[in-house]
Each structure stands twice: as C-alpha cells, then as structure tokens.
Amino acid sequence: MKTLVIVTSVIEITNNPFDYTSIRSVYTPNDRYLQTIQTINSLSRIKNKTTLFIETSNLSEEKENAIKSLVDVYVNFNENQKIKEVIDGSIKGKAEATQIFEGLKLVNLEDYDSIIKISGRYYLNDEFNSELYSKNISIFKESEAKDALSTVLYRIKKSDFNLYKETLKFCLDDGGMLESNFFKFFDNRYNVPQKLGVSGNVSVDGTYIEF
C-alpha cells in the first residue's frame, strides 16, 4: 500500500492577523523551522510513502535545501502572488485548502492508496499506530461537540479521494471553518480512533495538544 503524505507549512509568516485572532504565531520563524524538521523526521513511522511538502514563504537557501533533502516532492508557492495572497490572508481554513488543492496538482493520485495529511510543526508520536493507518478507512478526530473534524492529522482512503478534492474545492471559496466543512462533506464516512498519534503546539497561543 502506497501512501501520499502531505505536509502543509508556512515557516516565515506574515504579521497580518487572522479573522479570529490578532496573533498569527507565538513562535519565531526559526522556531517554526525547527518544529517543521521535527514533523518531517517523525514521518519515518510511515512506510512506503511519498512525502509532499507544501510551503508558501520566503525561506533561505540553506533552510530550503535542508527540507528538500528530507522529502520527496517540495513545492514553494511563495512566488505565486495569487496563492500567496490567500496564504497571508485572514482566513486560515481557506489558506490550508488552497495549499493542498494546488499541491495535489503536482502528483498523480492514481499512484496512491491513501493520503495522510499532517500540519507542519506537529509530529507523529509513540501512539501512532501504523497498522491502523494501513487499513481501508478514512480517519479523523471529531470535536467534543461532534460538529467538526480536526485537520491537524487525518487519513483519506482511496475511494474518498474525489470527496476529499470536492471538500477542498468548496473551501477555496468559503469563509467558514475548514473543520466544519470537512465534517459536513464527510458526513460520518470516517473512523474515529481512540488515539490519532500526533502531538504539537498550537501556533496562536502555544497550547500543547496530543490526539
């Protein structure tokens, strides 16, 4: 079974506020870079994979080359003004959807049996169960209110690829929460494991999470 692992990343962030907070990140660009390297290194827990790393910021040649050496497909949309405006805009969900939607154009999804997406700066922990992620299921973590799906880490099975792309396409033009849209589109077509196996710190306030 071949897995496409997508890592979304914006290391050198703008000072523009989000629509829900004026603080974009409590971490410096160098902090974010080191956390992102930790993300990539943690992916060794996933076998038979292609890692697609999607960046949209102005990285130094040294940092960019270091990341390129650790992933299979690297793209940086920083010079694409249309995408850059969305990424640096106020709607976080729209920005992430744009990165993934555009990044998927660089690979042939027919080559893969599943997609695992992880947000940059988060990392797979000791609770990550590779056997669970090799089953023919889509995997998400639900919110406590069961009205949204976390997008920090999830898995999409092959038969849900078209649904995944439809969800992303909708989010390109929608100002709502990415998590709420995923919940609406996937409509119980997923499994909720006790542990996803992911840890990290929330960008806007540094809160540590472990799912």
Side-chain angles (χ1 to χ4, degrees), residues 4 6 8 96-97 100-101 104 109 115-118 138 140 154-157 159-171 182 185-186 189:
L4 176 67
I6 300 173
T8 54
E96 181 170 309
I100 299 172
F101 189 82
L104 286 176
L109 284 182
I115 295 170
I116 293 177
K117 179 266 175 180
I118 185 169
S138 291
F140 284 94
Y154 55 79
R155 180 188 192 268
I156 308 296
K157 64 181 179 180
S159 59
D160 284 341
F161 282 3
N162 286 335
L163 176 61
Y164 183 49
K165 289 189 288 186
E166 289 172 10
T167 307
L168 293 170
K169 189 173 182 180
F170 177 84
C171 293
F182 267 76
F185 272 79
F186 274 80
R189 292 175 55 174

PDB file of all heavy atoms in Angstrom, residues 4 6 8 96-97 100-101 104 109 115-118 138 140 154-157 159-171 182 185-186 189:
ATOM      1  N   LEU A   4       0.500   8.775   0.125  1.00  0.00           N
ATOM      2  CA  LEU A   4       0.958  10.142  -0.107  1.00  0.00           C
ATOM      3  C   LEU A   4       0.808  10.895   1.200  1.00  0.00           C
ATOM      4  O   LEU A   4      -0.302  11.021   1.730  1.00  0.00           O
ATOM      5  CB  LEU A   4       0.123  10.822  -1.196  1.00  0.00           C
ATOM      6  CG  LEU A   4       0.453  12.294  -1.447  1.00  0.00           C
ATOM      7  CD1 LEU A   4       1.854  12.442  -2.038  1.00  0.00           C
ATOM      8  CD2 LEU A   4      -0.580  12.944  -2.365  1.00  0.00           C
ATOM      9  N   ILE A   6       1.076  14.415   2.979  1.00  0.00           N
ATOM     10  CA  ILE A   6       1.084  15.851   2.691  1.00  0.00           C
ATOM     11  C   ILE A   6       1.438  16.619   3.957  1.00  0.00           C
ATOM     12  O   ILE A   6       0.814  16.428   4.997  1.00  0.00           O
ATOM     13  CB  ILE A   6      -0.287  16.320   2.179  1.00  0.00           C
ATOM     14  CG1 ILE A   6      -0.670  15.586   0.895  1.00  0.00           C
ATOM     15  CG2 ILE A   6      -0.284  17.836   1.950  1.00  0.00           C
ATOM     16  CD1 ILE A   6      -2.090  15.874   0.436  1.00  0.00           C
ATOM     17  N   THR A   8       1.671  20.508   5.175  1.00  0.00           N
ATOM     18  CA  THR A   8       1.421  21.913   4.874  1.00  0.00           C
ATOM     19  C   THR A   8       2.256  22.780   5.811  1.00  0.00           C
ATOM     20  O   THR A   8       2.368  22.494   6.998  1.00  0.00           O
ATOM     21  CB  THR A   8      -0.062  22.260   5.035  1.00  0.00           C
ATOM     22  OG1 THR A   8      -0.503  21.877   6.347  1.00  0.00           O
ATOM     23  CG2 THR A   8      -0.895  21.524   3.994  1.00  0.00           C
ATOM     24  N   GLU A  96      -5.185  26.863   4.014  1.00  0.00           N
ATOM     25  CA  GLU A  96      -4.743  25.465   4.031  1.00  0.00           C
ATOM     26  C   GLU A  96      -5.337  24.682   2.868  1.00  0.00           C
ATOM     27  O   GLU A  96      -4.647  23.895   2.221  1.00  0.00           O
ATOM     28  CB  GLU A  96      -5.124  24.804   5.349  1.00  0.00           C
ATOM     29  CG  GLU A  96      -4.668  23.355   5.449  1.00  0.00           C
ATOM     30  CD  GLU A  96      -4.846  22.785   6.836  1.00  0.00           C
ATOM     31  OE1 GLU A  96      -4.390  23.425   7.803  1.00  0.00           O
ATOM     32  OE2 GLU A  96      -5.438  21.693   6.947  1.00  0.00           O
ATOM     33  N   ALA A  97      -6.614  24.909   2.593  1.00  0.00           N
ATOM     34  CA  ALA A  97      -7.263  24.228   1.478  1.00  0.00           C
ATOM     35  C   ALA A  97      -6.591  24.578   0.157  1.00  0.00           C
ATOM     36  O   ALA A  97      -6.421  23.723  -0.718  1.00  0.00           O
ATOM     37  CB  ALA A  97      -8.749  24.587   1.438  1.00  0.00           C
ATOM     38  N   ILE A 100      -3.192  22.692  -0.250  1.00  0.00           N
ATOM     39  CA  ILE A 100      -3.359  21.277  -0.579  1.00  0.00           C
ATOM     40  C   ILE A 100      -3.927  21.103  -1.985  1.00  0.00           C
ATOM     41  O   ILE A 100      -3.436  20.274  -2.767  1.00  0.00           O
ATOM     42  CB  ILE A 100      -4.273  20.582   0.449  1.00  0.00           C
ATOM     43  CG1 ILE A 100      -3.657  20.670   1.849  1.00  0.00           C
ATOM     44  CG2 ILE A 100      -4.482  19.118   0.069  1.00  0.00           C
ATOM     45  CD1 ILE A 100      -4.577  20.187   2.955  1.00  0.00           C
ATOM     46  N   PHE A 101      -4.951  21.870  -2.323  1.00  0.00           N
ATOM     47  CA  PHE A 101      -5.583  21.764  -3.642  1.00  0.00           C
ATOM     48  C   PHE A 101      -4.567  21.994  -4.756  1.00  0.00           C
ATOM     49  O   PHE A 101      -4.529  21.252  -5.745  1.00  0.00           O
ATOM     50  CB  PHE A 101      -6.730  22.767  -3.738  1.00  0.00           C
ATOM     51  CG  PHE A 101      -7.586  22.605  -4.964  1.00  0.00           C
ATOM     52  CD1 PHE A 101      -8.595  21.656  -4.987  1.00  0.00           C
ATOM     53  CD2 PHE A 101      -7.394  23.407  -6.077  1.00  0.00           C
ATOM     54  CE1 PHE A 101      -9.398  21.500  -6.117  1.00  0.00           C
ATOM     55  CE2 PHE A 101      -8.180  23.265  -7.203  1.00  0.00           C
ATOM     56  CZ  PHE A 101      -9.191  22.311  -7.230  1.00  0.00           C
ATOM     57  N   LEU A 104      -1.749  19.128  -4.796  1.00  0.00           N
ATOM     58  CA  LEU A 104      -2.174  17.850  -5.363  1.00  0.00           C
ATOM     59  C   LEU A 104      -2.033  17.806  -6.881  1.00  0.00           C
ATOM     60  O   LEU A 104      -1.976  16.717  -7.474  1.00  0.00           O
ATOM     61  CB  LEU A 104      -3.623  17.559  -4.968  1.00  0.00           C
ATOM     62  CG  LEU A 104      -3.856  17.138  -3.511  1.00  0.00           C
ATOM     63  CD1 LEU A 104      -5.343  16.985  -3.234  1.00  0.00           C
ATOM     64  CD2 LEU A 104      -3.119  15.850  -3.196  1.00  0.00           C
ATOM     65  N   LEU A 109      -2.577  11.032  -8.208  1.00  0.00           N
ATOM     66  CA  LEU A 109      -3.221  10.328  -7.098  1.00  0.00           C
ATOM     67  C   LEU A 109      -3.514   8.873  -7.421  1.00  0.00           C
ATOM     68  O   LEU A 109      -3.704   8.059  -6.511  1.00  0.00           O
ATOM     69  CB  LEU A 109      -4.504  11.037  -6.698  1.00  0.00           C
ATOM     70  CG  LEU A 109      -4.340  12.332  -5.895  1.00  0.00           C
ATOM     71  CD1 LEU A 109      -5.704  12.897  -5.522  1.00  0.00           C
ATOM     72  CD2 LEU A 109      -3.515  12.092  -4.635  1.00  0.00           C
ATOM     73  N   ILE A 115      -4.085   8.899   1.507  1.00  0.00           N
ATOM     74  CA  ILE A 115      -3.451  10.192   1.769  1.00  0.00           C
ATOM     75  C   ILE A 115      -3.428  10.391   3.283  1.00  0.00           C
ATOM     76  O   ILE A 115      -4.447  10.206   3.949  1.00  0.00           O
ATOM     77  CB  ILE A 115      -4.219  11.355   1.121  1.00  0.00           C
ATOM     78  CG1 ILE A 115      -4.201  11.257  -0.405  1.00  0.00           C
ATOM     79  CG2 ILE A 115      -3.648  12.707   1.570  1.00  0.00           C
ATOM     80  CD1 ILE A 115      -5.135  12.246  -1.086  1.00  0.00           C
ATOM     81  N   ILE A 116      -2.277  10.744   3.797  1.00  0.00           N
ATOM     82  CA  ILE A 116      -2.183  11.194   5.189  1.00  0.00           C
ATOM     83  C   ILE A 116      -1.725  12.645   5.159  1.00  0.00           C
ATOM     84  O   ILE A 116      -0.715  12.966   4.543  1.00  0.00           O
ATOM     85  CB  ILE A 116      -1.201  10.349   6.012  1.00  0.00           C
ATOM     86  CG1 ILE A 116      -1.725   8.921   6.174  1.00  0.00           C
ATOM     87  CG2 ILE A 116      -0.965  10.988   7.390  1.00  0.00           C
ATOM     88  CD1 ILE A 116      -0.771   7.997   6.911  1.00  0.00           C
ATOM     89  N   LYS A 117      -2.487  13.509   5.805  1.00  0.00           N
ATOM     90  CA  LYS A 117      -2.108  14.914   5.868  1.00  0.00           C
ATOM     91  C   LYS A 117      -1.746  15.272   7.302  1.00  0.00           C
ATOM     92  O   LYS A 117      -2.462  14.934   8.257  1.00  0.00           O
ATOM     93  CB  LYS A 117      -3.248  15.800   5.367  1.00  0.00           C
ATOM     94  CG  LYS A 117      -2.918  17.308   5.418  1.00  0.00           C
ATOM     95  CD  LYS A 117      -3.404  17.927   6.703  1.00  0.00           C
ATOM     96  CE  LYS A 117      -2.969  19.386   6.823  1.00  0.00           C
ATOM     97  NZ  LYS A 117      -3.453  19.990   8.095  1.00  0.00           N
ATOM     98  N   ILE A 118      -0.629  15.960   7.483  1.00  0.00           N
ATOM     99  CA  ILE A 118      -0.225  16.473   8.793  1.00  0.00           C
ATOM    100  C   ILE A 118       0.186  17.929   8.644  1.00  0.00           C
ATOM    101  O   ILE A 118       0.846  18.303   7.673  1.00  0.00           O
ATOM    102  CB  ILE A 118       0.919  15.633   9.405  1.00  0.00           C
ATOM    103  CG1 ILE A 118       1.243  16.112  10.834  1.00  0.00           C
ATOM    104  CG2 ILE A 118       2.161  15.636   8.529  1.00  0.00           C
ATOM    105  CD1 ILE A 118       2.169  15.179  11.605  1.00  0.00           C
ATOM    106  N   SER A 138     -10.989   5.893   6.214  1.00  0.00           N
ATOM    107  CA  SER A 138     -10.604   7.292   6.406  1.00  0.00           C
ATOM    108  C   SER A 138     -10.647   7.576   7.903  1.00  0.00           C
ATOM    109  O   SER A 138     -11.499   7.041   8.616  1.00  0.00           O
ATOM    110  CB  SER A 138     -11.546   8.234   5.662  1.00  0.00           C
ATOM    111  OG  SER A 138     -11.378   8.096   4.262  1.00  0.00           O
ATOM    112  N   PHE A 140     -10.360  10.482  11.116  1.00  0.00           N
ATOM    113  CA  PHE A 140     -10.378  11.861  11.603  1.00  0.00           C
ATOM    114  C   PHE A 140     -10.571  11.848  13.122  1.00  0.00           C
ATOM    115  O   PHE A 140     -11.039  10.858  13.692  1.00  0.00           O
ATOM    116  CB  PHE A 140     -11.541  12.649  10.993  1.00  0.00           C
ATOM    117  CG  PHE A 140     -11.351  13.078   9.582  1.00  0.00           C
ATOM    118  CD1 PHE A 140     -11.837  12.295   8.537  1.00  0.00           C
ATOM    119  CD2 PHE A 140     -10.696  14.258   9.281  1.00  0.00           C
ATOM    120  CE1 PHE A 140     -11.674  12.692   7.221  1.00  0.00           C
ATOM    121  CE2 PHE A 140     -10.530  14.664   7.963  1.00  0.00           C
ATOM    122  CZ  PHE A 140     -11.020  13.874   6.930  1.00  0.00           C
ATOM    123  N   TYR A 154      -4.990  13.615   9.532  1.00  0.00           N
ATOM    124  CA  TYR A 154      -6.086  12.760   9.104  1.00  0.00           C
ATOM    125  C   TYR A 154      -5.618  11.848   7.974  1.00  0.00           C
ATOM    126  O   TYR A 154      -4.566  12.068   7.373  1.00  0.00           O
ATOM    127  CB  TYR A 154      -7.315  13.564   8.677  1.00  0.00           C
ATOM    128  CG  TYR A 154      -7.084  14.615   7.612  1.00  0.00           C
ATOM    129  CD1 TYR A 154      -6.976  14.273   6.257  1.00  0.00           C
ATOM    130  CD2 TYR A 154      -7.001  15.964   7.942  1.00  0.00           C
ATOM    131  CE1 TYR A 154      -6.801  15.231   5.280  1.00  0.00           C
ATOM    132  CE2 TYR A 154      -6.815  16.941   6.974  1.00  0.00           C
ATOM    133  CZ  TYR A 154      -6.725  16.571   5.643  1.00  0.00           C
ATOM    134  OH  TYR A 154      -6.528  17.524   4.673  1.00  0.00           O
ATOM    135  N   ARG A 155      -6.422  10.825   7.701  1.00  0.00           N
ATOM    136  CA  ARG A 155      -6.128   9.880   6.623  1.00  0.00           C
ATOM    137  C   ARG A 155      -7.349   9.771   5.714  1.00  0.00           C
ATOM    138  O   ARG A 155      -8.478   9.691   6.187  1.00  0.00           O
ATOM    139  CB  ARG A 155      -5.800   8.496   7.172  1.00  0.00           C
ATOM    140  CG  ARG A 155      -5.489   7.454   6.099  1.00  0.00           C
ATOM    141  CD  ARG A 155      -5.372   6.064   6.707  1.00  0.00           C
ATOM    142  NE  ARG A 155      -4.799   5.102   5.776  1.00  0.00           N
ATOM    143  CZ  ARG A 155      -5.514   4.338   4.950  1.00  0.00           C
ATOM    144  NH1 ARG A 155      -6.841   4.444   4.928  1.00  0.00           N
ATOM    145  NH2 ARG A 155      -4.917   3.475   4.154  1.00  0.00           N
ATOM    146  N   ILE A 156      -7.098   9.748   4.415  1.00  0.00           N
ATOM    147  CA  ILE A 156      -8.155   9.610   3.422  1.00  0.00           C
ATOM    148  C   ILE A 156      -7.912   8.321   2.632  1.00  0.00           C
ATOM    149  O   ILE A 156      -6.837   8.138   2.052  1.00  0.00           O
ATOM    150  CB  ILE A 156      -8.173  10.806   2.441  1.00  0.00           C
ATOM    151  CG1 ILE A 156      -8.212  12.138   3.197  1.00  0.00           C
ATOM    152  CG2 ILE A 156      -9.344  10.684   1.477  1.00  0.00           C
ATOM    153  CD1 ILE A 156      -9.445  12.371   4.003  1.00  0.00           C
ATOM    154  N   LYS A 157      -8.895   7.428   2.611  1.00  0.00           N
ATOM    155  CA  LYS A 157      -8.756   6.207   1.820  1.00  0.00           C
ATOM    156  C   LYS A 157      -9.003   6.521   0.342  1.00  0.00           C
ATOM    157  O   LYS A 157      -9.614   7.546  -0.004  1.00  0.00           O
ATOM    158  CB  LYS A 157      -9.728   5.141   2.302  1.00  0.00           C
ATOM    159  CG  LYS A 157     -11.196   5.480   2.139  1.00  0.00           C
ATOM    160  CD  LYS A 157     -12.076   4.359   2.680  1.00  0.00           C
ATOM    161  CE  LYS A 157     -13.558   4.703   2.529  1.00  0.00           C
ATOM    162  NZ  LYS A 157     -14.437   3.634   3.037  1.00  0.00           N
ATOM    163  N   SER A 159     -10.955   5.439  -2.030  1.00  0.00           N
ATOM    164  CA  SER A 159     -12.318   5.636  -2.530  1.00  0.00           C
ATOM    165  C   SER A 159     -12.916   6.975  -2.100  1.00  0.00           C
ATOM    166  O   SER A 159     -13.963   7.381  -2.612  1.00  0.00           O
ATOM    167  CB  SER A 159     -13.229   4.490  -2.067  1.00  0.00           C
ATOM    168  OG  SER A 159     -13.260   4.402  -0.656  1.00  0.00           O
ATOM    169  N   ASP A 160     -12.253   7.677  -1.196  1.00  0.00           N
ATOM    170  CA  ASP A 160     -12.710   9.010  -0.759  1.00  0.00           C
ATOM    171  C   ASP A 160     -11.890  10.148  -1.374  1.00  0.00           C
ATOM    172  O   ASP A 160     -12.089  11.318  -1.014  1.00  0.00           O
ATOM    173  CB  ASP A 160     -12.648   9.134   0.770  1.00  0.00           C
ATOM    174  CG  ASP A 160     -13.779   8.392   1.465  1.00  0.00           C
ATOM    175  OD1 ASP A 160     -14.792   8.093   0.805  1.00  0.00           O
ATOM    176  OD2 ASP A 160     -13.645   8.107   2.672  1.00  0.00           O
ATOM    177  N   PHE A 161     -10.987   9.825  -2.301  1.00  0.00           N
ATOM    178  CA  PHE A 161     -10.148  10.876  -2.894  1.00  0.00           C
ATOM    179  C   PHE A 161     -10.995  11.953  -3.571  1.00  0.00           C
ATOM    180  O   PHE A 161     -10.715  13.151  -3.436  1.00  0.00           O
ATOM    181  CB  PHE A 161      -9.169  10.281  -3.907  1.00  0.00           C
ATOM    182  CG  PHE A 161      -7.964   9.616  -3.299  1.00  0.00           C
ATOM    183  CD1 PHE A 161      -7.814   9.504  -1.924  1.00  0.00           C
ATOM    184  CD2 PHE A 161      -6.964   9.087  -4.115  1.00  0.00           C
ATOM    185  CE1 PHE A 161      -6.699   8.885  -1.359  1.00  0.00           C
ATOM    186  CE2 PHE A 161      -5.845   8.471  -3.561  1.00  0.00           C
ATOM    187  CZ  PHE A 161      -5.715   8.370  -2.192  1.00  0.00           C
ATOM    188  N   ASN A 162     -11.994  11.544  -4.340  1.00  0.00           N
ATOM    189  CA  ASN A 162     -12.826  12.537  -5.033  1.00  0.00           C
ATOM    190  C   ASN A 162     -13.600  13.390  -4.044  1.00  0.00           C
ATOM    191  O   ASN A 162     -13.740  14.609  -4.229  1.00  0.00           O
ATOM    192  CB  ASN A 162     -13.783  11.850  -6.004  1.00  0.00           C
ATOM    193  CG  ASN A 162     -13.090  11.344  -7.253  1.00  0.00           C
ATOM    194  OD1 ASN A 162     -12.044  11.851  -7.636  1.00  0.00           O
ATOM    195  ND2 ASN A 162     -13.666  10.317  -7.881  1.00  0.00           N
ATOM    196  N   LEU A 163     -14.110  12.772  -2.990  1.00  0.00           N
ATOM    197  CA  LEU A 163     -14.800  13.528  -1.939  1.00  0.00           C
ATOM    198  C   LEU A 163     -13.846  14.526  -1.297  1.00  0.00           C
ATOM    199  O   LEU A 163     -14.233  15.671  -1.003  1.00  0.00           O
ATOM    200  CB  LEU A 163     -15.354  12.566  -0.892  1.00  0.00           C
ATOM    201  CG  LEU A 163     -16.017  13.188   0.339  1.00  0.00           C
ATOM    202  CD1 LEU A 163     -17.221  14.037  -0.061  1.00  0.00           C
ATOM    203  CD2 LEU A 163     -16.431  12.111   1.329  1.00  0.00           C
ATOM    204  N   TYR A 164     -12.623  14.103  -1.077  1.00  0.00           N
ATOM    205  CA  TYR A 164     -11.596  14.977  -0.495  1.00  0.00           C
ATOM    206  C   TYR A 164     -11.365  16.199  -1.378  1.00  0.00           C
ATOM    207  O   TYR A 164     -11.358  17.341  -0.900  1.00  0.00           O
ATOM    208  CB  TYR A 164     -10.309  14.179  -0.326  1.00  0.00           C
ATOM    209  CG  TYR A 164      -9.165  14.905   0.334  1.00  0.00           C
ATOM    210  CD1 TYR A 164      -9.332  15.612   1.517  1.00  0.00           C
ATOM    211  CD2 TYR A 164      -7.886  14.872  -0.223  1.00  0.00           C
ATOM    212  CE1 TYR A 164      -8.274  16.255   2.137  1.00  0.00           C
ATOM    213  CE2 TYR A 164      -6.812  15.501   0.389  1.00  0.00           C
ATOM    214  CZ  TYR A 164      -7.016  16.198   1.558  1.00  0.00           C
ATOM    215  OH  TYR A 164      -5.956  16.834   2.176  1.00  0.00           O
ATOM    216  N   LYS A 165     -11.222  15.975  -2.668  1.00  0.00           N
ATOM    217  CA  LYS A 165     -10.989  17.092  -3.591  1.00  0.00           C
ATOM    218  C   LYS A 165     -12.210  18.008  -3.670  1.00  0.00           C
ATOM    219  O   LYS A 165     -12.064  19.235  -3.775  1.00  0.00           O
ATOM    220  CB  LYS A 165     -10.616  16.545  -4.973  1.00  0.00           C
ATOM    221  CG  LYS A 165      -9.227  15.912  -5.015  1.00  0.00           C
ATOM    222  CD  LYS A 165      -8.783  15.575  -6.423  1.00  0.00           C
ATOM    223  CE  LYS A 165      -9.530  14.394  -6.974  1.00  0.00           C
ATOM    224  NZ  LYS A 165      -8.989  13.985  -8.313  1.00  0.00           N
ATOM    225  N   GLU A 166     -13.404  17.434  -3.616  1.00  0.00           N
ATOM    226  CA  GLU A 166     -14.625  18.246  -3.603  1.00  0.00           C
ATOM    227  C   GLU A 166     -14.674  19.131  -2.357  1.00  0.00           C
ATOM    228  O   GLU A 166     -15.069  20.303  -2.427  1.00  0.00           O
ATOM    229  CB  GLU A 166     -15.853  17.340  -3.636  1.00  0.00           C
ATOM    230  CG  GLU A 166     -16.082  16.632  -4.951  1.00  0.00           C
ATOM    231  CD  GLU A 166     -17.204  15.606  -4.860  1.00  0.00           C
ATOM    232  OE1 GLU A 166     -17.904  15.602  -3.814  1.00  0.00           O
ATOM    233  OE2 GLU A 166     -17.371  14.820  -5.800  1.00  0.00           O
ATOM    234  N   THR A 167     -14.278  18.564  -1.228  1.00  0.00           N
ATOM    235  CA  THR A 167     -14.259  19.319   0.030  1.00  0.00           C
ATOM    236  C   THR A 167     -13.281  20.486  -0.056  1.00  0.00           C
ATOM    237  O   THR A 167     -13.604  21.622   0.318  1.00  0.00           O
ATOM    238  CB  THR A 167     -13.880  18.402   1.198  1.00  0.00           C
ATOM    239  OG1 THR A 167     -14.731  17.260   1.222  1.00  0.00           O
ATOM    240  CG2 THR A 167     -13.994  19.147   2.528  1.00  0.00           C
ATOM    241  N   LEU A 168     -12.090  20.202  -0.534  1.00  0.00           N
ATOM    242  CA  LEU A 168     -11.076  21.250  -0.670  1.00  0.00           C
ATOM    243  C   LEU A 168     -11.538  22.351  -1.621  1.00  0.00           C
ATOM    244  O   LEU A 168     -11.365  23.543  -1.344  1.00  0.00           O
ATOM    245  CB  LEU A 168      -9.765  20.652  -1.171  1.00  0.00           C
ATOM    246  CG  LEU A 168      -9.031  19.702  -0.220  1.00  0.00           C
ATOM    247  CD1 LEU A 168      -7.885  19.011  -0.952  1.00  0.00           C
ATOM    248  CD2 LEU A 168      -8.511  20.445   1.000  1.00  0.00           C
ATOM    249  N   LYS A 169     -12.134  21.943  -2.742  1.00  0.00           N
ATOM    250  CA  LYS A 169     -12.592  22.921  -3.727  1.00  0.00           C
ATOM    251  C   LYS A 169     -13.646  23.838  -3.130  1.00  0.00           C
ATOM    252  O   LYS A 169     -13.646  25.050  -3.371  1.00  0.00           O
ATOM    253  CB  LYS A 169     -13.147  22.198  -4.960  1.00  0.00           C
ATOM    254  CG  LYS A 169     -13.455  23.124  -6.122  1.00  0.00           C
ATOM    255  CD  LYS A 169     -13.829  22.340  -7.371  1.00  0.00           C
ATOM    256  CE  LYS A 169     -14.085  23.278  -8.546  1.00  0.00           C
ATOM    257  NZ  LYS A 169     -14.447  22.523  -9.777  1.00  0.00           N
ATOM    258  N   PHE A 170     -14.549  23.270  -2.338  1.00  0.00           N
ATOM    259  CA  PHE A 170     -15.561  24.093  -1.675  1.00  0.00           C
ATOM    260  C   PHE A 170     -14.908  25.096  -0.738  1.00  0.00           C
ATOM    261  O   PHE A 170     -15.319  26.267  -0.670  1.00  0.00           O
ATOM    262  CB  PHE A 170     -16.532  23.195  -0.900  1.00  0.00           C
ATOM    263  CG  PHE A 170     -17.574  23.948  -0.124  1.00  0.00           C
ATOM    264  CD1 PHE A 170     -18.734  24.376  -0.732  1.00  0.00           C
ATOM    265  CD2 PHE A 170     -17.379  24.234   1.228  1.00  0.00           C
ATOM    266  CE1 PHE A 170     -19.688  25.075  -0.012  1.00  0.00           C
ATOM    267  CE2 PHE A 170     -18.333  24.935   1.950  1.00  0.00           C
ATOM    268  CZ  PHE A 170     -19.493  25.360   1.323  1.00  0.00           C
ATOM    269  N   CYS A 171     -13.897  24.651  -0.020  1.00  0.00           N
ATOM    270  CA  CYS A 171     -13.236  25.503   0.972  1.00  0.00           C
ATOM    271  C   CYS A 171     -12.447  26.646   0.341  1.00  0.00           C
ATOM    272  O   CYS A 171     -12.146  27.635   1.012  1.00  0.00           O
ATOM    273  CB  CYS A 171     -12.307  24.664   1.850  1.00  0.00           C
ATOM    274  SG  CYS A 171     -13.163  23.475   2.909  1.00  0.00           S
ATOM    275  N   PHE A 182     -15.235  19.964   6.575  1.00  0.00           N
ATOM    276  CA  PHE A 182     -14.867  18.553   6.480  1.00  0.00           C
ATOM    277  C   PHE A 182     -15.934  17.684   7.137  1.00  0.00           C
ATOM    278  O   PHE A 182     -16.292  16.622   6.618  1.00  0.00           O
ATOM    279  CB  PHE A 182     -13.502  18.309   7.120  1.00  0.00           C
ATOM    280  CG  PHE A 182     -12.362  18.384   6.160  1.00  0.00           C
ATOM    281  CD1 PHE A 182     -11.900  19.605   5.696  1.00  0.00           C
ATOM    282  CD2 PHE A 182     -11.743  17.235   5.699  1.00  0.00           C
ATOM    283  CE1 PHE A 182     -10.847  19.688   4.796  1.00  0.00           C
ATOM    284  CE2 PHE A 182     -10.697  17.298   4.800  1.00  0.00           C
ATOM    285  CZ  PHE A 182     -10.242  18.525   4.341  1.00  0.00           C
ATOM    286  N   PHE A 185     -18.992  17.525   4.707  1.00  0.00           N
ATOM    287  CA  PHE A 185     -18.790  16.771   3.477  1.00  0.00           C
ATOM    288  C   PHE A 185     -18.581  15.278   3.729  1.00  0.00           C
ATOM    289  O   PHE A 185     -19.102  14.439   2.984  1.00  0.00           O
ATOM    290  CB  PHE A 185     -17.599  17.339   2.697  1.00  0.00           C
ATOM    291  CG  PHE A 185     -17.958  18.457   1.766  1.00  0.00           C
ATOM    292  CD1 PHE A 185     -18.154  19.741   2.242  1.00  0.00           C
ATOM    293  CD2 PHE A 185     -18.103  18.240   0.409  1.00  0.00           C
ATOM    294  CE1 PHE A 185     -18.492  20.787   1.397  1.00  0.00           C
ATOM    295  CE2 PHE A 185     -18.440  19.259  -0.457  1.00  0.00           C
ATOM    296  CZ  PHE A 185     -18.628  20.546   0.037  1.00  0.00           C
ATOM    297  N   PHE A 186     -17.832  14.942   4.768  1.00  0.00           N
ATOM    298  CA  PHE A 186     -17.547  13.530   5.012  1.00  0.00           C
ATOM    299  C   PHE A 186     -18.697  12.806   5.711  1.00  0.00           C
ATOM    300  O   PHE A 186     -18.801  11.583   5.593  1.00  0.00           O
ATOM    301  CB  PHE A 186     -16.228  13.379   5.764  1.00  0.00           C
ATOM    302  CG  PHE A 186     -15.042  13.359   4.841  1.00  0.00           C
ATOM    303  CD1 PHE A 186     -14.528  14.535   4.332  1.00  0.00           C
ATOM    304  CD2 PHE A 186     -14.464  12.161   4.446  1.00  0.00           C
ATOM    305  CE1 PHE A 186     -13.460  14.530   3.455  1.00  0.00           C
ATOM    306  CE2 PHE A 186     -13.396  12.142   3.577  1.00  0.00           C
ATOM    307  CZ  PHE A 186     -12.886  13.327   3.074  1.00  0.00           C
ATOM    308  N   ARG A 189     -18.485   9.381   7.142  1.00  0.00           N
ATOM    309  CA  ARG A 189     -17.753   8.411   6.319  1.00  0.00           C
ATOM    310  C   ARG A 189     -16.297   8.334   6.791  1.00  0.00           C
ATOM    311  O   ARG A 189     -15.360   8.527   6.018  1.00  0.00           O
ATOM    312  CB  ARG A 189     -17.819   8.813   4.839  1.00  0.00           C
ATOM    313  CG  ARG A 189     -19.199   8.697   4.238  1.00  0.00           C
ATOM    314  CD  ARG A 189     -19.287   9.214   2.819  1.00  0.00           C
ATOM    315  NE  ARG A 189     -18.314   8.592   1.915  1.00  0.00           N
ATOM    316  CZ  ARG A 189     -18.283   8.808   0.606  1.00  0.00           C
ATOM    317  NH1 ARG A 189     -19.174   9.631   0.053  1.00  0.00           N
ATOM    318  NH2 ARG A 189     -17.379   8.225  -0.155  1.00  0.00           N
TER     319      ARG A 189
END
